[in-house]
């Protein structure tokens, strides 16, 4: 059912009512997946997710009705009422979990399983982002750039004191969404590439964490004996998420900063480059904790490596792409 959302939004002839219906279907489809473990945390996460998404959908319906009332049409691509534009933008930011409306996002991810958290971090972003793509010409530029810079800053700083891998990935997602909406304001091609790289890296990390049952930073220390190769590539993917130059994650940041410099937004470029340093710090700290503070041998503390691990067939190719796609940047950006 979740697949129907993007289809409804795309096929809706750019009509706000059908887009709203698609968003509601999307929310109702993911709720059983969040609540499936029958754990109090899962119930809490599903309740929080439902309340936030319902509030955002109600805001979208209200502002699109306001726009239709004043202009006489329901077109997504042409919103001429400033109040409706700002309200819809804020509602979509709430759905995406972008700062300053981000507080629900880490809590929901922490209450969900790894696979559900992966869906929330990747697939569930597509429907709101589709609306942002369609609204590109009507978006309030200064508001978008401010929210993007704030998300990068918050995603970095708030992740510094986290020990749960799902919460760290949530903060990482908030920061990456900040880069993405700034890219959306500059160029749709760069934004699409940023989204593709974000989904690739996030899928790789969540799949690796799920296979090795790594739920906290302490678990990273006993991951080596399970699969040394998987462990090393997981750490490289972490650095790629941080945007270190030889790796895939550097490409979108490079193109976004270049685009911002071409449009003479030098202060914003410097600010978001500096704001991404805390994110890079906690990725490097995870790598440090995993490699240097725990010896790469078996310990008597935990015996997870005695359990047989499943290796999905797609994990190999996506792990390779997560680290080695930088030379293809010109091809991906066109």
């Amino acid at each position: 059912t979740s697949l129907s959302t993007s289809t409804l939004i795309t096929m809706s002839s750019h009509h706000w009512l059908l887009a709203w219906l698609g968003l509601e279907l999307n929310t109702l489809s993911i709720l059983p997946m969040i609540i499936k473990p029958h754990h109090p945390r899962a119930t809490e996460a599903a309740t929080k997710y439902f309340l936030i998404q319902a509030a955002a959908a109600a805001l979208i319906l209200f502002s699109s009705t306001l726009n239709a009332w004043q202009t006489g049409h329901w077109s997504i691509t042409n919103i001429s009422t400033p109040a409706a534009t700002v309200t819809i933008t804020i509602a979509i930011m709430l759905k995406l979990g972008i700062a300053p409306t981000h507080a629900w996002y880490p809590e929901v991810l922490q209450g969900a399983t790894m696979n559900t958290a992966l869906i929330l971090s990747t697939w569930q972003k597509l429907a709101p982002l589709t609306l942002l793509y369609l609204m590109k010409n009507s978006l309030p530029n200064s508001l978008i750039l401010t929210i993007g810079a704030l998300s990068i800053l918050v995603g970095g700083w708030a992740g510094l004191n986290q020990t749960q891998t799902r919460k760290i990935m949530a903060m990482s997602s908030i920061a990456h969404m900040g880069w993405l909406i700034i890219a959306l304001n500059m160029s749709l091609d760069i934004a699409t590439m940023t989204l593709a790289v974000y989904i690739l890296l996030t899928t790789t990390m969540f799949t690796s964490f799920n296979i090795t049952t790594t739920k906290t930073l302490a678990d990273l220390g006993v991951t080596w004996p399970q699969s040394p190769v998987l462990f090393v590539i997981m750490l490289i993917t972490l650095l790629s998420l941080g945007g270190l130059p030889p790796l895939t994650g550097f490409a979108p940041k490079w193109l976004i900063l270049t685009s911002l410099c071409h449009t003479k937004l030098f202060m914003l470029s410097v600010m978001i480059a500096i704001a991404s340093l805390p994110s890079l710090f906690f990725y490097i700290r995870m790598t440090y904790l995993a490699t240097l503070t725990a010896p790469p041998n078996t310990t008597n503390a935990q015996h997870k490596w005695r359990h047989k691990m499943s290796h999905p067939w797609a994990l190999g190719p996506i792990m390779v792409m997560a680290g080695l796609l930088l030379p293809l940047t010109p091809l991906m950006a066109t």
Side-chain angles (χ1 to χ4, degrees):
T1 313
S2 192
L3 281 167
S4 61
T5 312
S6 297
T7 312
L8 258 177
I9 289 177
T10 310
M11 295 175 62
S12 61
S13 302
H14 302 162
H15 196 288
W16 270 117
L17 273 181
L18 286 175
W20 171 80
L21 179 63
L23 290 171
E24 287 294 290
L25 270 175
N26 184 268
T27 301
L28 294 174
S29 303
I30 196 74
L31 287 175
M33 297 176 71
I34 301 174
I35 212 167
K36 190 182 172 222
H38 300 294
H39 191 276
R41 280 179 185 238
T43 309
E44 182 186 346
T47 308
K48 285 177 178 173
Y49 187 79
F50 170 73
L51 290 174
I52 293 293
Q53 298 295 317
L59 269 178
I60 288 173
L61 189 59
F62 165 74
S63 43
S64 56
T65 307
L66 180 67
N67 183 65
W69 180 34
Q70 295 195 357
T71 62
H73 62 77
W74 290 88
S75 172
I76 297 175
T77 51
N78 184 20
I79 303 178
S80 48
T81 314
T85 307
V86 172
T87 313
I88 286 178
T89 305
I90 292 169
I92 292 174
M93 298 308 158
L94 184 59
K95 274 191 166 291
L96 288 171
I98 292 178
T101 56
H102 66 283
W104 64 273
Y105 188 59
E107 301 300 324
V108 169
L109 250 60
Q110 183 59 31
T113 62
M114 280 289 179
N115 285 332
T116 309
L118 168 61
I119 294 169
L120 288 172
S121 300
T122 53
W123 182 260
Q124 292 300 100
K125 306 282 189 191
L126 295 182
L129 284 171
T130 305
L131 292 177
L132 279 183
Y133 269 58
L134 291 171
M135 287 173 61
K136 184 184 182 300
N137 296 326
S138 310
L139 291 175
N141 292 338
S142 54
L143 179 65
I144 290 288
L145 293 175
T146 306
I147 289 175
L150 185 62
S151 294
I152 296 168
L153 193 63
V154 167
W157 282 105
L160 289 176
N161 65 341
Q162 301 296 338
T163 56
Q164 301 283 333
T165 51
R166 273 168 292 190
K167 283 197 175 182
I168 288 174
M169 291 304 293
M171 293 306 171
S172 158
S173 176
I174 291 167
H176 277 88
M177 284 295 118
W179 283 96
L180 179 56
I181 62 166
I182 288 175
L184 192 66
N185 209 37
M186 313 307 296
S187 159
L188 287 181
D189 292 335
I190 296 176
T192 307
M193 181 210 164
T194 307
L195 178 62
V197 170
Y198 162 75
I199 290 175
L200 174 69
L201 296 177
T202 307
T203 304
T204 308
M205 282 314 306
F206 271 114
T207 310
S208 305
F209 285 150
N210 194 33
I211 289 172
T212 57
T213 60
T214 305
K215 294 179 181 175
T216 63
L217 293 184
D219 290 340
L220 276 172
V222 291
T223 305
W224 172 272
Q226 288 183 280
S227 175
V229 176
L230 174 62
F231 179 71
V232 169
I233 299 178
M234 186 167 79
L235 298 185
I236 291 171
T237 309
L238 265 178
L239 297 179
S240 186
L241 262 176
L244 280 184
L247 304 169
T248 307
F250 176 63
K253 294 186 178 181
W254 180 19
L255 290 172
I256 292 166
L257 289 174
T258 306
S259 182
L260 284 172
C261 290
H262 284 160
T263 48
K264 302 291 188 291
L265 293 167
F266 299 113
M267 279 301 294
L268 180 64
S269 307
V270 172
M271 195 174 94
I272 64 174
I274 293 172
S276 65
L277 290 177
S279 293
L280 185 57
F281 172 78
F282 65 69
Y283 294 128
I284 292 176
R285 186 183 61 180
M286 286 175 77
T287 312
Y288 173 82
L289 283 171
T291 53
L292 300 181
T293 58
N297 54 23
T298 55
T299 65
N300 295 322
Q302 297 186 38
H303 300 285
K304 294 193 302 177
W305 51 86
R306 290 185 179 175
H307 300 297
K308 183 170 171 51
M309 291 192 305
S310 62
H311 290 281
W313 63 269
L315 187 60
I318 63 171
M319 279 190 151
V320 171
M321 288 192 289
L324 301 176
L325 283 185
L326 186 64
L328 295 180
T329 304
L331 186 65
M332 291 190 291
T334 53

